[in-house]
Amino acid sequence: MHTALMGLQWGDEGKGKLIDYLATNFDVVCRYQGGANAGHTVLYKGENIYLHLVPSGIFHPNKICIIGNGTVIDIKKLQEELVQLKEKGIDFDNRFFISKRCHIIQPEHFTREERMQKDIGTTGRGIGPAYADKISRSGVRMGDIFSIKYIKKRGVNTDFIKSLKTFKENFGQFITDTVDMLHSLTRKEKKILFEGAQGVMLDIDFGTYPYVTSSNPSTGGILTGTGISPFSISKIIGVAKTYTTRVGNGPLPTQMDNNTQEMIRDVGGEYGATTGRPRRCGWLDLVALKYAVQISGATEIALTKIDVLDGLSQIKIGTEYEIDGHITNKFPAEVWNLERAKPIYTIFSGWDNTREIKEYKGLPEEAKEYIHYIEEYVGVKVSMISIGKKRGDLIIV
Ligand code: IMP
Protein backbone atom coordinates (compact mmCIF):
# COMPACT_ATOMS: atom_id res chain seq x y z
CA MET A 1 0.00 0.00 0.00
CA HIS A 2 1.10 3.50 -0.80
CA THR A 3 1.78 6.65 1.22
CA ALA A 4 1.22 10.30 0.40
CA LEU A 5 3.07 13.25 1.85
CA MET A 6 1.77 16.78 1.40
CA GLY A 7 2.05 20.24 2.91
CA LEU A 8 -0.79 21.39 5.16
CA GLN A 9 0.00 25.10 5.04
CA TRP A 10 1.07 27.54 2.30
CA GLY A 11 3.99 25.45 1.06
CA ASP A 12 7.58 25.40 2.31
CA GLU A 13 6.79 23.10 5.24
CA GLY A 14 10.08 21.23 4.81
CA LYS A 15 8.69 18.37 2.73
CA GLY A 16 11.93 17.83 0.76
CA LYS A 17 13.90 16.72 3.79
CA LEU A 18 11.17 14.29 4.86
CA ILE A 19 10.84 12.78 1.37
CA ASP A 20 14.59 12.39 1.27
CA TYR A 21 14.50 10.62 4.66
CA LEU A 22 11.46 8.44 3.89
CA ALA A 23 12.54 7.48 0.37
CA THR A 24 14.71 4.63 1.73
CA ASN A 25 11.50 2.80 2.76
CA PHE A 26 9.88 3.09 -0.66
CA ASP A 27 10.50 1.73 -4.14
CA VAL A 28 9.04 4.70 -5.98
CA VAL A 29 8.67 8.45 -5.39
CA CYS A 30 6.04 10.13 -7.55
CA ARG A 31 5.06 13.79 -8.00
CA TYR A 32 1.46 14.51 -8.87
CA GLN A 33 0.95 18.26 -9.35
CA GLY A 34 2.58 21.67 -9.66
CA GLY A 35 5.66 22.40 -11.68
CA ALA A 36 8.90 24.28 -11.33
CA ASN A 37 7.15 26.66 -8.91
CA ALA A 38 8.16 24.17 -6.20
CA GLY A 39 11.68 24.04 -4.88
CA HIS A 40 13.47 21.46 -2.81
CA THR A 41 16.94 21.94 -1.45
CA VAL A 42 18.66 18.65 -0.78
CA LEU A 43 22.00 18.33 0.92
CA TYR A 44 23.92 15.77 -1.17
CA LYS A 45 27.52 14.86 -0.26
CA GLY A 46 27.88 18.16 1.60
CA GLU A 47 26.56 20.24 -1.29
CA ASN A 48 23.16 21.92 -1.66
CA ILE A 49 21.30 20.78 -4.78
CA TYR A 50 18.13 22.56 -5.87
CA LEU A 51 15.39 20.61 -7.55
CA HIS A 52 12.15 22.01 -8.90
CA LEU A 53 10.68 19.15 -10.89
CA VAL A 54 12.59 15.91 -10.35
CA PRO A 55 11.41 14.10 -7.17
CA SER A 56 14.01 14.30 -4.40
CA GLY A 57 14.07 10.48 -4.26
CA ILE A 58 16.47 10.67 -7.22
CA PHE A 59 19.43 10.89 -4.79
CA HIS A 60 18.74 7.34 -3.64
CA PRO A 61 20.24 4.84 -6.07
CA ASN A 62 17.71 2.32 -7.42
CA LYS A 63 14.61 4.29 -6.42
CA ILE A 64 12.19 4.88 -9.26
CA CYS A 65 11.17 8.54 -9.65
CA ILE A 66 8.06 9.48 -11.57
CA ILE A 67 6.60 12.81 -12.63
CA GLY A 68 2.86 12.15 -12.82
CA ASN A 69 0.41 13.58 -15.37
CA GLY A 70 -0.92 16.30 -13.04
CA THR A 71 2.43 18.09 -13.18
CA VAL A 72 3.19 20.81 -15.74
CA ILE A 73 6.61 20.63 -17.34
CA ASP A 74 9.06 23.41 -18.10
CA ILE A 75 11.37 21.49 -20.44
CA LYS A 76 14.22 23.98 -20.03
CA LYS A 77 14.21 23.66 -16.24
CA LEU A 78 13.85 19.89 -16.42
CA GLN A 79 16.75 19.66 -18.83
CA GLU A 80 18.92 21.80 -16.50
CA GLU A 81 18.08 19.55 -13.56
CA LEU A 82 18.82 16.36 -15.44
CA VAL A 83 22.14 17.71 -16.72
CA GLN A 84 23.03 18.84 -13.18
CA LEU A 85 22.25 15.39 -11.79
CA LYS A 86 24.38 13.73 -14.50
CA GLU A 87 27.26 16.08 -13.64
CA LYS A 88 27.02 15.05 -9.98
CA GLY A 89 27.35 11.43 -11.10
CA ILE A 90 23.73 10.49 -10.32
CA ASP A 91 22.60 7.81 -12.70
CA PHE A 92 18.86 7.84 -13.41
CA ASP A 93 18.64 5.75 -16.60
CA ASN A 94 15.71 3.33 -16.38
CA ARG A 95 14.53 4.76 -13.07
CA PHE A 96 13.28 8.24 -13.96
CA PHE A 97 10.05 8.70 -15.90
CA ILE A 98 7.81 11.56 -17.05
CA SER A 99 4.17 11.02 -17.88
CA LYS A 100 3.16 11.35 -21.54
CA ARG A 101 0.10 13.17 -20.21
CA CYS A 102 1.95 16.01 -18.47
CA HIS A 103 1.14 19.38 -19.99
CA ILE A 104 4.02 21.41 -21.39
CA ILE A 105 4.67 25.00 -20.31
CA GLN A 106 5.09 27.06 -23.47
CA PRO A 107 6.92 30.41 -23.87
CA GLU A 108 3.65 32.35 -24.15
CA HIS A 109 2.61 31.05 -20.71
CA PHE A 110 5.41 33.10 -19.17
CA THR A 111 4.28 36.23 -21.01
CA ARG A 112 0.68 35.70 -20.02
CA GLU A 113 1.66 35.20 -16.40
CA GLU A 114 3.27 38.63 -16.18
CA ARG A 115 -0.18 40.18 -15.75
CA MET A 116 -1.25 37.99 -12.84
CA GLN A 117 2.18 37.86 -11.24
CA LYS A 118 1.74 41.22 -9.56
CA ASP A 119 -1.79 40.65 -8.19
CA ILE A 120 -1.37 37.10 -6.93
CA GLY A 121 2.38 37.15 -6.34
CA THR A 122 3.01 34.05 -8.44
CA THR A 123 6.44 32.52 -8.97
CA GLY A 124 6.75 33.50 -12.65
CA ARG A 125 7.08 29.89 -13.76
CA GLY A 126 4.15 29.86 -16.22
CA ILE A 127 2.06 27.65 -13.94
CA GLY A 128 -1.33 29.42 -14.05
CA PRO A 129 -1.51 29.90 -17.85
CA ALA A 130 -0.30 26.31 -18.49
CA TYR A 131 -3.07 24.87 -16.28
CA ALA A 132 -5.58 27.33 -17.82
CA ASP A 133 -4.73 25.96 -21.29
CA LYS A 134 -5.03 22.41 -20.00
CA ILE A 135 -8.56 23.12 -18.76
CA SER A 136 -9.54 25.06 -21.88
CA ARG A 137 -8.23 22.15 -23.96
CA SER A 138 -5.64 24.12 -25.89
CA GLY A 139 -2.51 22.66 -24.30
CA VAL A 140 0.03 20.17 -25.63
CA ARG A 141 1.40 17.25 -23.65
CA MET A 142 4.74 15.51 -23.30
CA GLY A 143 3.64 12.53 -25.41
CA ASP A 144 2.73 14.90 -28.25
CA ILE A 145 6.37 15.78 -28.89
CA PHE A 146 6.70 12.45 -30.69
CA SER A 147 4.52 13.85 -33.50
CA ILE A 148 5.89 17.18 -34.73
CA LYS A 149 3.08 17.18 -37.29
CA TYR A 150 0.54 17.13 -34.46
CA ILE A 151 2.14 19.87 -32.38
CA LYS A 152 2.43 22.07 -35.50
CA LYS A 153 -1.29 21.53 -36.05
CA ARG A 154 -1.90 22.62 -32.43
CA GLY A 155 -0.26 25.96 -33.25
CA VAL A 156 2.89 25.64 -31.13
CA ASN A 157 5.43 28.39 -31.86
CA THR A 158 8.10 27.31 -34.41
CA ASP A 159 11.10 28.18 -32.24
CA PHE A 160 9.62 26.26 -29.34
CA ILE A 161 9.09 23.24 -31.60
CA LYS A 162 12.88 23.23 -32.12
CA SER A 163 13.40 23.13 -28.32
CA LEU A 164 10.89 20.29 -28.03
CA LYS A 165 12.76 18.34 -30.74
CA THR A 166 16.05 18.78 -28.88
CA PHE A 167 14.43 17.68 -25.62
CA LYS A 168 13.00 14.61 -27.36
CA GLU A 169 16.41 13.70 -28.83
CA ASN A 170 18.19 14.00 -25.48
CA PHE A 171 15.56 12.89 -22.99
CA GLY A 172 12.69 11.33 -24.98
CA GLN A 173 13.48 7.91 -23.50
CA PHE A 174 12.20 9.12 -20.10
CA ILE A 175 8.71 9.96 -21.41
CA THR A 176 6.31 7.08 -20.90
CA ASP A 177 2.79 5.99 -19.95
CA THR A 178 3.15 6.36 -16.19
CA VAL A 179 -0.46 5.31 -15.51
CA ASP A 180 0.35 1.88 -16.85
CA MET A 181 3.65 1.89 -14.97
CA LEU A 182 2.15 2.91 -11.60
CA HIS A 183 -0.52 0.20 -11.84
CA SER A 184 2.03 -2.40 -12.84
CA LEU A 185 4.30 -1.39 -9.91
CA THR A 186 1.27 -1.61 -7.58
CA ARG A 187 0.49 -5.13 -8.82
CA LYS A 188 4.09 -6.07 -8.05
CA GLU A 189 3.52 -4.73 -4.51
CA LYS A 190 6.08 -1.98 -4.89
CA LYS A 191 5.64 0.81 -2.36
CA ILE A 192 5.01 4.28 -3.75
CA LEU A 193 5.47 7.60 -1.96
CA PHE A 194 3.40 10.39 -3.51
CA GLU A 195 5.15 13.71 -3.09
CA GLY A 196 3.01 16.85 -2.96
CA ALA A 197 4.30 20.28 -3.92
CA GLN A 198 3.06 23.56 -2.37
CA GLY A 199 0.38 22.96 0.31
CA VAL A 200 -3.33 22.50 0.96
CA MET A 201 -3.85 26.21 1.68
CA LEU A 202 -2.62 26.97 -1.86
CA ASP A 203 -4.98 24.41 -3.43
CA ILE A 204 -6.97 25.86 -6.36
CA ASP A 205 -10.26 24.55 -4.87
CA PHE A 206 -9.69 24.58 -1.12
CA GLY A 207 -7.04 27.25 -0.61
CA THR A 208 -7.36 30.98 -0.12
CA TYR A 209 -8.69 31.63 -3.64
CA PRO A 210 -7.64 33.60 -5.69
CA TYR A 211 -4.32 33.67 -3.80
CA VAL A 212 -3.56 30.06 -4.62
CA THR A 213 -1.63 28.00 -7.12
CA SER A 214 -3.40 26.46 -10.12
CA SER A 215 -3.26 22.79 -9.12
CA ASN A 216 -4.56 20.53 -6.33
CA PRO A 217 -1.78 19.87 -3.80
CA SER A 218 -4.38 18.15 -1.60
CA THR A 219 -5.21 14.46 -1.80
CA GLY A 220 -7.61 14.69 -4.76
CA GLY A 221 -4.64 15.85 -6.84
CA ILE A 222 -3.01 12.44 -6.39
CA LEU A 223 -5.93 10.68 -8.05
CA THR A 224 -6.26 13.04 -11.00
CA GLY A 225 -2.52 13.62 -11.18
CA THR A 226 -1.43 9.99 -11.39
CA GLY A 227 -4.38 7.74 -12.23
CA ILE A 228 -3.83 5.54 -9.16
CA SER A 229 -6.75 3.97 -7.27
CA PRO A 230 -7.85 5.83 -4.10
CA PHE A 231 -7.92 2.47 -2.33
CA SER A 232 -4.19 1.99 -2.87
CA ILE A 233 -3.28 4.85 -0.50
CA SER A 234 -3.27 3.81 3.13
CA LYS A 235 -1.31 6.58 4.81
CA ILE A 236 -1.35 10.35 4.34
CA ILE A 237 1.39 12.30 6.08
CA GLY A 238 0.46 15.96 6.42
CA VAL A 239 3.45 18.22 6.94
CA ALA A 240 3.10 21.32 9.09
CA LYS A 241 5.74 23.75 10.26
CA THR A 242 5.59 24.69 13.96
CA TYR A 243 4.87 28.19 12.73
CA THR A 244 3.42 29.45 9.45
CA THR A 245 4.94 31.11 6.41
CA ARG A 246 3.63 32.44 3.16
CA VAL A 247 5.23 33.84 -0.01
CA GLY A 248 3.24 35.76 -2.55
CA ASN A 249 0.09 37.72 -1.79
CA GLY A 250 -3.02 36.80 0.19
CA PRO A 251 -4.08 36.83 3.84
CA LEU A 252 -1.99 35.28 6.60
CA PRO A 253 -4.15 35.87 9.70
CA THR A 254 -1.53 34.95 12.30
CA GLN A 255 1.25 37.10 10.82
CA MET A 256 3.76 38.06 13.54
CA ASP A 257 5.01 41.55 14.38
CA ASN A 258 7.96 42.67 12.26
CA ASN A 259 10.70 41.98 14.82
CA THR A 260 9.55 38.42 15.50
CA GLN A 261 9.14 37.82 11.76
CA GLU A 262 12.68 38.97 11.10
CA MET A 263 14.04 36.72 13.81
CA ILE A 264 12.14 33.65 12.56
CA ARG A 265 13.05 34.39 8.93
CA ASP A 266 16.67 34.62 9.88
CA VAL A 267 16.84 31.49 12.05
CA GLY A 268 14.53 29.45 9.81
CA GLY A 269 16.05 30.62 6.50
CA GLU A 270 12.59 31.66 5.37
CA TYR A 271 13.28 32.81 1.83
CA GLY A 272 11.54 31.32 -1.24
CA ALA A 273 13.49 28.36 -2.72
CA THR A 274 12.32 29.29 -6.22
CA THR A 275 12.23 33.08 -6.17
CA GLY A 276 14.39 34.01 -3.15
CA ARG A 277 11.56 36.26 -1.87
CA PRO A 278 11.42 36.74 1.94
CA ARG A 279 8.56 34.69 3.35
CA ARG A 280 6.02 36.31 5.65
CA CYS A 281 6.04 34.52 9.01
CA GLY A 282 3.18 33.87 11.39
CA TRP A 283 2.29 31.84 14.46
CA LEU A 284 0.83 28.38 13.99
CA ASP A 285 -2.79 28.75 12.87
CA LEU A 286 -4.83 25.79 14.11
CA VAL A 287 -8.07 26.98 12.48
CA ALA A 288 -6.32 26.67 9.11
CA LEU A 289 -4.45 23.51 10.11
CA LYS A 290 -7.54 21.62 11.24
CA TYR A 291 -9.26 22.56 7.99
CA ALA A 292 -6.22 21.33 6.02
CA VAL A 293 -6.17 18.06 7.97
CA GLN A 294 -9.81 17.50 6.99
CA ILE A 295 -9.29 18.37 3.32
CA SER A 296 -6.21 16.18 3.01
CA GLY A 297 -7.47 13.28 5.11
CA ALA A 298 -4.08 13.33 6.84
CA THR A 299 -3.68 10.25 9.00
CA GLU A 300 -0.66 11.70 10.81
CA ILE A 301 1.30 14.93 11.06
CA ALA A 302 4.99 15.59 10.58
CA LEU A 303 5.88 18.71 12.53
CA THR A 304 8.89 20.54 11.16
CA LYS A 305 11.38 23.19 12.26
CA ILE A 306 10.52 23.04 15.95
CA ASP A 307 14.12 24.13 16.65
CA VAL A 308 13.45 27.49 14.99
CA LEU A 309 11.25 28.43 17.95
CA ASP A 310 13.99 27.53 20.48
CA GLY A 311 14.74 30.37 22.88
CA LEU A 312 11.44 32.25 22.60
CA SER A 313 9.97 33.05 26.00
CA GLN A 314 6.38 32.77 24.74
CA ILE A 315 4.89 30.96 21.80
CA LYS A 316 1.44 31.71 20.43
CA ILE A 317 -0.99 29.45 18.63
CA GLY A 318 -4.01 30.84 16.78
CA THR A 319 -7.05 28.83 17.91
CA GLU A 320 -10.02 30.90 16.75
CA TYR A 321 -10.82 33.86 14.50
CA GLU A 322 -12.85 36.89 15.32
CA ILE A 323 -14.61 38.11 12.19
CA ASP A 324 -16.75 41.24 12.58
CA GLY A 325 -17.37 40.49 16.25
CA HIS A 326 -18.19 36.79 15.67
CA ILE A 327 -15.89 34.15 17.11
CA THR A 328 -15.39 31.09 14.94
CA ASN A 329 -13.13 28.06 14.64
CA LYS A 330 -14.22 27.45 11.02
CA PHE A 331 -11.94 28.47 8.19
CA PRO A 332 -13.88 30.88 5.96
CA ALA A 333 -14.37 30.07 2.28
CA GLU A 334 -14.28 33.73 1.20
CA VAL A 335 -11.00 35.53 1.03
CA TRP A 336 -12.65 38.85 1.94
CA ASN A 337 -13.83 37.28 5.19
CA LEU A 338 -10.42 35.80 5.90
CA GLU A 339 -8.85 39.22 5.31
CA ARG A 340 -10.93 40.55 8.22
CA ALA A 341 -10.18 37.62 10.56
CA LYS A 342 -8.37 38.57 13.76
CA PRO A 343 -6.76 35.55 15.38
CA ILE A 344 -7.40 34.66 19.01
CA TYR A 345 -4.31 33.15 20.55
CA THR A 346 -3.55 30.60 23.21
CA ILE A 347 -0.17 31.37 24.73
CA PHE A 348 2.41 28.73 25.62
CA SER A 349 5.69 28.98 27.53
CA GLY A 350 8.70 28.67 25.25
CA TRP A 351 11.56 26.19 25.55
CA ASP A 352 15.33 26.48 25.37
CA ASN A 353 16.67 23.81 23.11
CA THR A 354 15.33 21.00 20.92
CA ARG A 355 18.42 20.53 18.74
CA GLU A 356 20.34 17.24 18.93
CA ILE A 357 17.48 15.57 20.82
CA LYS A 358 17.00 12.05 19.55
CA GLU A 359 13.84 10.86 21.27
CA TYR A 360 10.44 12.32 22.03
CA LYS A 361 10.90 11.82 25.74
CA GLY A 362 14.02 14.01 25.66
CA LEU A 363 12.12 17.06 24.40
CA PRO A 364 11.55 19.95 26.85
CA GLU A 365 8.20 19.59 28.68
CA GLU A 366 7.00 22.88 27.16
CA ALA A 367 7.59 21.57 23.63
CA LYS A 368 5.69 18.36 24.48
CA GLU A 369 2.81 20.43 25.80
CA TYR A 370 2.76 22.45 22.57
CA ILE A 371 2.75 19.27 20.44
CA HIS A 372 0.07 17.64 22.57
CA TYR A 373 -2.17 20.69 22.21
CA ILE A 374 -1.86 20.53 18.41
CA GLU A 375 -2.74 16.82 18.38
CA GLU A 376 -5.79 17.36 20.58
CA TYR A 377 -7.01 20.30 18.49
CA VAL A 378 -6.68 18.72 15.04
CA GLY A 379 -7.46 15.15 16.13
CA VAL A 380 -4.43 13.56 14.47
CA LYS A 381 -1.19 12.33 16.05
CA VAL A 382 2.21 13.83 15.39
CA SER A 383 4.42 11.01 14.06
CA MET A 384 7.64 12.85 13.18
CA ILE A 385 9.30 15.99 14.53
CA SER A 386 12.05 17.70 12.61
CA ILE A 387 14.64 19.38 14.86
CA GLY A 388 17.24 20.62 12.39
CA LYS A 389 18.43 20.79 8.77
CA LYS A 390 20.33 17.54 8.45
CA ARG A 391 18.74 14.32 7.17
CA GLY A 392 19.01 12.65 10.58
CA ASP A 393 17.64 15.60 12.57
CA LEU A 394 14.34 13.89 13.04
CA ILE A 395 12.48 12.41 16.01
CA ILE A 396 10.24 9.50 15.14
CA VAL A 397 7.45 9.42 17.72
P1 IMP B 1 2.18 29.99 -8.83
O1 IMP B 1 2.12 28.60 -8.32
O2 IMP B 1 3.53 30.36 -9.38
O3 IMP B 1 1.07 30.28 -9.79
O4 IMP B 1 1.95 30.99 -7.58
C1 IMP B 1 0.72 31.05 -6.87
C2 IMP B 1 0.95 31.25 -5.39
O5 IMP B 1 1.51 30.06 -4.85
C3 IMP B 1 1.93 32.37 -5.04
O6 IMP B 1 1.53 32.93 -3.82
C4 IMP B 1 3.24 31.63 -4.84
O7 IMP B 1 4.13 32.33 -4.01
C5 IMP B 1 2.74 30.35 -4.19
N1 IMP B 1 3.64 29.21 -4.39
C6 IMP B 1 3.82 28.50 -5.53
N2 IMP B 1 4.71 27.52 -5.33
C7 IMP B 1 5.09 27.60 -4.04
C8 IMP B 1 5.98 26.80 -3.23
O8 IMP B 1 6.58 25.81 -3.65
N3 IMP B 1 6.08 27.20 -1.94
C9 IMP B 1 5.41 28.26 -1.43
N4 IMP B 1 4.56 29.01 -2.15
C10 IMP B 1 4.42 28.68 -3.44
Side-chain angles (χ1 to χ4, degrees):
M1 290 297 262
H2 310 320
T3 295
L5 183 140
M6 68 194 60
L8 294 178
Q9 295 157 321
W10 283 272
D12 310 316
E13 296 91 352
K15 299 179 288 291
K17 186 187 125 168
L18 295 173
I19 299 272
D20 184 46
Y21 169 82
L22 290 170
T24 43
N25 304 325
F26 290 84
D27 305 294
V28 184
V29 182
C30 176
R31 261 195 75 173
Y32 56 90
Q33 47 68 236
N37 48 352
H40 287 332
T41 313
V42 180
L43 199 60
Y44 179 73
K45 295 189 177 165
E47 214 187 320
N48 272 335
I49 303 191
Y50 302 96
L51 291 180
H52 298 283
L53 280 161
V54 177
S56 10
I58 205 77
F59 297 104
H60 296 258
N62 309 323
K63 301 293 172 194
I64 297 173
C65 288
I66 296 177
I67 300 185
N69 59 275
T71 309
V72 284
I73 305 292
D74 175 343
I75 54 156
K76 192 159 163 251
K77 275 270 165 308
L78 182 57
Q79 193 161 314
E80 278 167 19
E81 279 178 25
L82 296 176
V83 167
Q84 179 190 214
L85 290 170
K86 279 236 154 89
E87 281 168 4
K88 305 276 178 231
I90 295 161
D91 180 25
F92 48 84
D93 284 344
N94 299 316
R95 67 179 187 97
F96 170 66
F97 303 97
I98 313 158
S99 169
K100 285 183 174 181
R101 296 178 176 86
C102 285
H103 276 251
I104 299 173
I105 301 189
Q106 300 182 49
E108 52 144 323
H109 293 146
F110 296 100
T111 338
R112 269 163 55 196
E113 184 177 358
E114 279 165 21
R115 266 168 287 158
M116 72 172 81
Q117 203 168 353
K118 211 160 130 269
D119 292 345
I120 308 291
T122 61
T123 58
R125 292 295 164 91
I127 305 297
Y131 277 113
D133 276 3
K134 169 178 173 173
I135 300 302
S136 67
R137 293 156 294 179
S138 49
V140 286
R141 312 197 294 180
M142 291 304 283
D144 297 336
I145 70 177
F146 295 101
S147 169
I148 297 300
K149 197 169 141 206
Y150 176 77
I151 48 178
K152 273 190 185 152
K153 207 167 83 187
R154 298 285 289 167
V156 175
N157 154 325
T158 321
D159 280 342
F160 191 56
I161 293 182
K162 281 191 201 136
S163 310
L164 291 174
K165 273 187 186 162
T166 313
F167 186 86
K168 180 182 70 180
E169 277 149 26
N170 294 327
F171 301 106
Q173 71 272 28
F174 299 112
I175 303 170
T176 192
D177 188 333
T178 55
V179 172
D180 197 39
M181 178 175 273
L182 287 165
H183 281 270
S184 152
L185 288 163
T186 303
R187 278 194 302 276
K188 290 181 193 148
E189 298 193 359
K190 299 288 179 199
K191 286 167 71 185
I192 306 173
L193 178 62
F194 292 102
E195 168 183 352
Q198 290 84 47
V200 172
M201 303 312 289
L202 286 172
D203 188 283
I204 183 80
D205 285 281
F206 300 110
T208 48
Y209 190 91
Y211 302 104
V212 290
T213 191
S214 297
S215 65
N216 290 113
S218 57
T219 309
I222 303 175
L223 307 182
T224 53
T226 67
I228 203 85
S229 158
F231 300 108
S232 65
I233 302 168
S234 59
K235 200 192 229 193
I236 300 172
I237 307 170
V239 187
K241 221 154 30 183
T242 35
Y243 50 97
T244 310
T245 58
R246 178 159 204 178
V247 265
N249 304 338
L252 180 64
T254 57
Q255 190 157 326
M256 296 159 167
D257 64 63
N258 285 345
N259 285 346
T260 319
Q261 278 200 71
E262 257 167 51
M263 199 274 286
I264 296 286
R265 192 177 297 131
D266 203 39
V267 181
E270 296 297 352
Y271 294 88
T274 300
T275 56
R277 292 177 289 180
R279 298 175 184 147
R280 282 181 280 153
C281 303
W283 300 107
L284 186 65
D285 180 343
L286 286 185
V287 179
L289 190 67
K290 186 167 184 173
Y291 168 74
V293 165
Q294 284 170 351
I295 297 296
S296 61
T299 54
E300 57 191 84
I301 288 187
L303 208 53
T304 60
K305 292 187 141 180
I306 194 166
D307 56 302
V308 174
L309 300 185
D310 285 2
L312 290 178
S313 56
Q314 277 192 340
I315 296 173
K316 296 187 193 175
I317 294 189
T319 45
E320 286 172 313
Y321 294 154
E322 189 210 303
I323 305 176
D324 296 338
H326 296 286
I327 310 283
T328 180
N329 58 8
K330 302 272 179 282
F331 192 79
E334 313 85 356
V335 77
W336 45 268
N337 251 330
L338 187 65
E339 276 162 353
R340 296 208 297 269
K342 294 190 194 80
I344 297 172
Y345 292 110
T346 300
I347 299 185
F348 291 78
S349 303
W351 52 82
D352 283 336
N353 192 7
T354 56
R355 289 194 185 105
E356 312 293 331
I357 290 171
K358 302 275 176 254
E359 288 183 346
Y360 183 80
K361 63 174 194 268
L363 281 173
E365 283 311 312
E366 295 84 356
K368 284 191 212 159
E369 209 177 299
Y370 182 84
I371 295 165
H372 184 66
Y373 188 87
I374 298 169
E375 292 181 325
E376 288 287 303
Y377 191 106
V378 302
V380 177
K381 287 275 177 208
V382 169
S383 60
M384 287 182 272
I385 303 160
S386 156
I387 48 145
K389 287 190 191 131
K390 296 194 294 296
R391 195 186 265 186
D393 290 342
L394 202 59
I395 296 174
I396 307 297
V397 184

